[in-house]
């Protein structure tokens, strides 16, 4: 059978995912592909998802979205990393910052030099060698050439979807408001032919993007793609989310604080704070979650906490037939490392690169699915690491995650790091050496040895080098203004 060229893309769902896809395809295939987005005013978006990672800046550049404009429109603040408190042990904390820690030598990564320095009596935290980590802790930020900080944003999810909607519609994306009630399949091929709205209208298309959120209307509801459940590794399945007013200056980082049977996020925006408690319902009930959340909020409540339930895992095929699942429809990993929105943008870029303009080729679908699986599994392992590499034994929850078997890929990584100080990452993995080493060390996985090549540097030189680098970081950061001062100058919304 001849291939059908893809001329009309139909996106179902107008949350952050739907509009990110519409903006990406609308911009890059403008004039060559029709883009239609369907969303229902009666079905709210998930309403959370406000912390991002630095790849967001690259997506905006690709789409030529003016940064200051989108930050102003979404009441955004800057983010240099995530502060993890009480994860390794109660009372400990560390920063997983977005930047480079120390410098990478041909001889080995920086952790080996840091490890040797410790042995020589230099008691300096790993994060003190990272610009972003030190700037975050001091609450300073600026976009400058020197020092150049790697950053992301905290933004208002509802306002962001609205911004992207206006952006997409200006590119010619057509929005239909209405509830999809029926998905029509081709009886011969099983492909999706069209979606029927409650008011009776049917919208046909060549390629469908399922951005309908946890419902996964097309990929699961119609195509029965199947779901791989990862709850045995990531037992949290519920979140209570609530907004509060501000109680102090917005810090340039996300806070992730571990509690007895879960953890809490705090995401500062210019005008409010997004909060939530993620927990495992098999270890704690809603009453505990509600109480724990309220006890640990700093500003005045804005509304009542809202329960969101989820199943951690992923759709078995992200691209199935002529339908691609993106956003929550494709699966869910808890927001511990703020990766969900990134996974949408990375899926869009994958689609833009492999776009089936001349028709859907099975080999391309297979490659798309292979890349999606590899990406999700790498992120999954990274998130599991935060739970598993703990010394906490104060509750059944922590005893479970500390002692549970983890994926072989992760087990190998932890052992490699603990025994040899080495980390290997695959070419397409999101988290690189800097991320893995900061979280391993932050969680208390300290390499037993350093690579012997470090001994090529005399002890005195190592100490001088480490002290010099730390002082250089501190000096560079001392030139930066307070975070809020920079926001006022660059992207304040009022
Ligand atoms: P939704 O926002 O649920 O949108 C679904 C859309 O589908 C809506 O427009 C709805 O109207 C439409 N729809 C559904 N059914 C129909 C129908 N029958 N007919 C027509 N339209 C329909 N991500 C991050 O990157 N950082 C974070 O900090 C973060 N925190 C999170 C915290 C929690 C507790 C959760 C659950 C998620 C978090 N995420 C985070 C993930 C992030 O929220 C999502 O990836 C992002 O919002 C995209 O959601 P979505 O667009 O896929 O789904």
């Amino acid at each position: 059978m001849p291939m059908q060229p893809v001329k009309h893309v139909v996106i179902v769902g107008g949350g952050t995912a739907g509009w990110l896809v519409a903006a990406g395809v609308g911009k890059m295939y403008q004039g060559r592909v029709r883009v239609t987005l369907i969303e229902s005013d009666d079905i709210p978006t998930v309403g959370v998802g406000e912390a991002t990672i630095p790849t967001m800046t690259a997506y905006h550049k690709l789409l030529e979205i003016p940064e200051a404009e989108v930050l102003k429109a979404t009441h955004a603040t800057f983010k240099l990393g995530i502060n993890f408190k009480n994860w390794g042990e109660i009372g400990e904390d560390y920063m997983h910052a977005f930047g480079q820690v120390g410098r990478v030598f041909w001889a080995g990564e920086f952790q080996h030099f840091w490890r040797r320095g410790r042995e020589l009596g230099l008691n300096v935290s790993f994060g003190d060698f990272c610009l972003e980590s030190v700037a975050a802790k001091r609450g300073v930020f600026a976009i400058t050439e020197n020092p150049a900080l790697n950053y992301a944003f905290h933004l208002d999810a509802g306002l962001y979807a609205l911004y992207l909607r206006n952006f997409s519609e200006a590119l010619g994306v057509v929005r239909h408001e209405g509830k999809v009630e029926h998905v029509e399949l081709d009886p011969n091929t099983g492909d999706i032919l069209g979606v029927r709205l409650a008011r009776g209208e049917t919208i046909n298309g060549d390629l469908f993007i399922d951005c309908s959120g946890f419902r996964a209307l097309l990929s699961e509801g119609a195509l029965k793609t199947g779901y791989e459940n990862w709850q045995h590794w990531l037992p949290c399945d519920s979140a209570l989310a609530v907004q509060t007013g501000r109680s102090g200056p917005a810090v340039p980082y996300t806070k992730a604080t571990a509690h007895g049977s879960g953890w809490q996020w705090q995401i500062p925006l210019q005008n409010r704070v997004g909060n939530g408690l993620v927990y495992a319902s098999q270890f704690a009930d809603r009453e505990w979650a509600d109480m724990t959340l309220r006890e640990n909020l700093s500003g005045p409540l804005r509304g009542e906490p809202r329960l969101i339930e989820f199943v951690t895992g992923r759709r078995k095929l992200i691209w199935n037939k002529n339908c691609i699942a993106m956003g929550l429809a494709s699966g869910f990993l808890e927001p511990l490392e703020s990766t969900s929105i990134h996974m949408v943008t990375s899926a869009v870029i994958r689609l833009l690169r492999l776009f089936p303009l001349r028709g859907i080729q099975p080999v391309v679908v297979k490659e798309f699915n292979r890349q999606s699986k590899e990406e999700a599994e790498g992120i999954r392992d990274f998130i599991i690491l935060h739970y598993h590499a703990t010394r906490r034994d104060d509750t059944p929850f922590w005893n479970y995650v500390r002692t549970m078997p983890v994926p072989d890929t992760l087990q190998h990584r932890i052992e490699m790091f603990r025994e040899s100080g080495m980390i290997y990452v695959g070419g397409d993995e999101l988290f690189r050496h800097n991320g893995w080493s900061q979280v391993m060390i932050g969680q208390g996985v300290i390499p037993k040895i350093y690579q012997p090549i470090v001994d090529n540097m005399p002890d005195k030189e190592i100490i001088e080098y480490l002290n010099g680098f730390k002082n250089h970081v501190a000096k560079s950061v001392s030139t930066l203004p307070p975070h809020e001062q920079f926001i006022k100058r660059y992207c304040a919304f009022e």
Side-chain angles (χ1 to χ4, degrees):
M1 216 168 66
M3 285 193 300
Q4 291 289 339
V6 169
K7 298 223 168 109
H8 185 197
V9 173
V10 177
I11 302 164
V12 174
T16 306
W19 285 114
L20 278 169
V21 185
V25 180
K27 172 85 181 174
M28 304 315 281
Y29 284 92
Q30 194 180 18
R32 290 198 282 169
V33 174
R34 255 171 78 205
V35 182
T36 301
L37 184 144
I38 305 161
E39 66 177 320
S40 166
D41 286 347
D42 296 335
I43 305 176
T45 61
V46 71
V48 280
E50 309 203 311
T52 65
I53 58 172
T55 50
M56 186 74 146
T57 58
Y59 197 70
H60 288 161
K61 276 192 189 122
L62 176 74
L63 268 54
E64 297 178 282
I65 287 178
E67 184 172 273
E69 182 186 285
V70 66
L71 299 188
K72 193 170 177 176
T74 58
H75 306 175
T77 64
F78 292 92
K79 172 176 172 184
L80 292 167
I82 305 175
N83 181 249
F84 290 95
K85 195 168 162 203
N86 298 341
W87 284 84
E89 187 56 277
I90 295 174
E92 287 183 2
D93 81 311
Y94 68 93
M95 189 76 72
H96 170 199
F98 294 138
Q100 168 100 41
V101 185
R103 201 183 320 142
V104 180
F105 292 93
W106 68 267
E109 286 106 25
F110 182 75
Q111 68 266 17
H112 299 294
F113 293 85
W114 172 79
R115 172 74 184 72
R116 177 65 180 142
R118 265 169 65 113
E119 224 170 75
L120 294 171
L122 196 68
N123 191 15
V124 182
S125 98
F126 197 56
D128 285 346
F129 297 94
C130 174
L131 276 171
E132 288 76 1
S133 181
V134 175
K137 280 196 224 147
R138 293 207 188 153
V140 294
F141 180 83
I143 301 174
T144 59
E145 274 178 25
N146 189 15
L149 299 174
N150 207 16
Y151 61 89
F153 321 111
H154 302 119
L155 41 79
D156 180 310
L159 294 176
Y160 188 53
L162 184 64
Y163 180 91
L164 290 172
R165 174 181 161 186
N166 292 333
F167 178 84
S168 306
E169 287 183 323
L171 292 166
V173 172
V174 175
R175 172 183 181 266
H176 288 261
E177 195 286 315
K179 186 173 175 200
V180 172
E181 278 206 337
H182 177 71
V183 181
E184 199 182 325
L185 300 182
D186 184 321
N188 298 318
T189 62
D191 280 346
I192 297 175
L193 293 173
V195 290
R196 195 172 67 229
L197 305 188
R199 60 172 178 265
E201 183 187 355
T202 295
I203 297 175
N204 296 324
D206 306 313
L207 180 68
F208 289 81
I209 313 290
D210 187 353
C211 293
S212 62
F214 287 129
R215 287 173 185 81
L217 266 187
L218 311 186
S219 50
E220 201 55 57
L223 297 178
K224 313 277 180 254
T225 301
Y227 197 74
E228 203 178 313
N229 186 318
W230 289 339
Q231 276 180 313
H232 51 297
W233 290 316
L234 292 165
C236 288
D237 59 0
S238 310
L240 277 182
V242 73
Q243 296 175 6
T244 57
R246 295 215 352 219
S247 64
V251 291
Y253 56 87
T254 305
K255 290 185 188 172
T257 308
H259 294 299
S261 298
W263 64 277
Q264 180 185 353
W265 79 76
Q266 281 167 289
I267 300 176
L269 301 187
Q270 288 183 36
N271 56 327
R272 63 163 171 84
V273 179
N275 307 269
L277 191 106
V278 175
Y279 66 100
S281 64
Q282 55 170 305
F283 293 100
D285 57 19
R286 182 170 173 167
E287 214 177 302
W288 172 85
D290 194 76
M291 188 189 72
T292 308
L293 177 64
R294 286 172 196 270
E295 274 173 3
N296 292 284
L297 295 172
S298 37
L301 271 184
R302 289 189 174 182
E304 283 301 300
R306 189 167 54 90
L307 180 68
I308 304 169
E309 291 170 302
F310 49 82
V311 179
T312 298
R314 66 185 293 272
R315 229 63 32 240
K316 284 185 177 157
L317 293 175
I318 300 301
W319 189 336
N320 187 11
K321 303 285 179 188
N322 61 339
C323 172
I324 305 178
M326 294 199 195
L328 300 174
S330 69
F332 187 69
L333 278 165
E334 60 191 81
L336 194 52
E337 284 284 350
S338 321
T339 42
S340 290
I341 296 174
H342 160 80
M343 289 174 82
V344 179
T345 56
S346 114
V348 179
I349 290 169
R350 193 170 295 131
L351 172 63
L352 295 176
R353 283 188 179 149
L354 298 172
F355 201 86
L357 209 53
R358 296 185 194 88
I360 297 174
Q361 296 169 288
V363 67
V364 169
V365 173
K366 197 171 165 191
E367 178 57 22
F368 188 100
N369 284 330
R370 188 197 65 75
Q371 289 181 17
S372 308
K373 181 171 187 286
E374 199 172 289
E375 175 184 56
E377 288 178 351
I379 297 173
R380 174 201 68 191
D381 283 7
F382 193 61
I383 293 176
I384 299 172
L385 172 69
H386 298 66
Y387 287 106
H388 187 60
T390 184
R391 281 153 284 133
R392 284 186 68 157
D393 60 1
D394 52 306
T395 63
F397 172 79
W398 287 104
N399 283 334
Y400 173 78
V401 293
R402 196 189 68 253
T403 56
M404 68 186 173
V406 295
D408 292 346
T409 39
L410 175 60
Q411 189 61 43
H412 173 69
R413 269 200 167 122
I414 296 175
E415 278 169 24
M416 271 296 281
F417 193 74
R418 188 178 280 128
E419 299 304 318
S420 74
M422 301 294 281
I423 294 167
Y424 286 104
V425 288
D428 286 337
E429 282 190 62
L430 171 63
F431 292 105
R432 319 296 304 172
H433 293 94
N434 280 305
W436 283 97
S437 59
Q438 286 181 80
V439 175
M440 292 267 195
I441 290 172
Q443 297 279 146
V445 183
I446 307 296
K448 287 184 184 159
I449 57 166
Y450 59 88
Q451 283 307 299
I453 200 135
V454 168
D455 289 335
N456 284 3
M457 203 188 252
D459 294 352
K460 189 168 162 281
E461 256 180 59
I462 289 191
I463 297 285
E464 274 170 15
Y465 159 67
L466 290 172
N467 276 330
F469 202 97
K470 183 186 71 121
N471 294 340
H472 163 73
V473 167
K475 197 168 160 215
S476 305
V477 165
S478 71
T479 61
L480 297 171
H483 177 218
E484 294 233 328
Q485 196 176 310
F486 182 75
I487 290 175
K488 277 204 184 84
R489 213 164 65 212
Y490 187 69
C491 58
F493 80 97
E494 284 166 334

